[in-house]
Amino acid sequence: MPGILLAYAAFLIAMISPGPNVLAVMGTSMSFGRLQGMALALGISAGSFLWGTLAATGLSALLTTYAATLTIIKIAGGMYLLWLAYKAFRAAAAEQTVEARVFDDDGTTGLRHFTRGLLVQMTNPKAALAWVAIISLGLQPNAPVWVAGLIVVGTTVLSVIIHLIYALVFSSRPMVRLYARARRPIQATLGLFFTFAGIKLLATKI
């Protein structure tokens, strides 16, 4: 259970940082309205579920046959988390302001925004690496199937909730300016968390 909760925490904290997915939700909500932003958010969450299922299924099969594979996975996941820490600290020290990425307004429907959100997530190669890190935080050799399932389902629920919140809140531009003022302490906190999670993952004994 501590590993599962740590995986949830890693996923939740990662979503607080405005990466491409979050910025797309923010920009779409501000430009086209809340319904379009929510449709995009649900598409991103669907993509997150697919990546999580693929990662959990693949890792479970590998770990069942080759327990030593966990060492490689933990190293890759730990290094990726430390890389995220570096990016967070660099963002905290940078002077740039937050810019929301938006899609061109072409009169698309909610279904198309959903599809775009799905494609944004599924075509992001970093998402696969992120899921390796998240799953490996909670998955151990010979772990029952329900452990991986609980991680995927729980993180999917978190993804839906958080992305919908972003769509609702960032429908107003003043919220973007508010975040810009608090960006540095937020990014510094993220850097500390990713550093802790990365070191913990690398130091875990098989």
Side-chain angles (χ1 to χ4, degrees):
M1 186 57 67
I4 295 175
L5 294 178
L6 184 59
Y8 286 170
F11 185 84
L12 181 61
I13 295 298
M15 291 190 62
I16 296 176
S17 179
N21 294 346
V22 172
L23 294 180
V25 173
M26 290 167 53
T28 301
S29 298
M30 289 186 294
S31 299
F32 308 139
R34 290 186 176 180
L35 292 180
Q36 289 82 355
M38 293 171 66
L40 186 80
L42 292 176
I44 291 174
S45 297
S48 182
F49 172 78
L50 291 178
W51 271 124
T53 300
L54 291 173
T57 303
L59 288 176
S60 298
L62 284 175
L63 295 179
T64 300
T65 307
Y66 306 104
T69 306
L70 184 61
T71 300
I72 299 175
I73 293 174
K74 285 186 177 292
I75 292 175
M79 294 303 294
Y80 179 70
L81 288 172
L82 292 178
W83 181 72
L84 289 180
Y86 164 74
K87 286 188 62 180
F89 286 129
R90 186 177 65 178
E95 294 289 345
Q96 79 268 15
T97 57
V98 177
E99 295 182 359
R101 189 181 93 190
V102 299
F103 295 115
D104 293 334
D105 188 359
D106 53 3
T108 54
T109 63
L111 179 59
R112 284 204 171 183
H113 280 290
F114 176 89
T115 303
R116 283 176 168 177
L118 179 63
L119 291 176
V120 164
Q121 181 73 344
M122 295 306 295
T123 56
N124 181 11
K126 294 180 181 178
L129 293 177
W131 270 105
V132 168
I134 291 170
I135 292 294
S136 60
L137 282 172
L139 195 61
Q140 299 297 321
N142 301 318
V145 176
W146 64 264
V147 173
L150 191 59
I151 292 175
V152 173
V153 172
T155 52
T156 299
V157 172
L158 288 175
S159 178
V160 171
I161 292 174
I162 299 301
H163 279 111
L164 287 180
I165 289 176
Y166 274 120
L168 293 172
V169 172
F170 284 94
S171 299
S172 61
R173 293 187 182 277
M175 290 305 301
V176 176
R177 293 195 293 269
L178 177 63
Y179 174 84
R181 290 196 293 269
R183 177 183 58 83
R184 285 187 168 181
I186 291 175
Q187 292 292 342
T189 301
L190 294 175
L192 290 175
F193 176 84
F194 285 128
T195 299
F196 167 77
I199 293 176
K200 179 178 177 62
L201 185 57
L202 291 172
T204 300
K205 295 182 179 180
I206 305 302

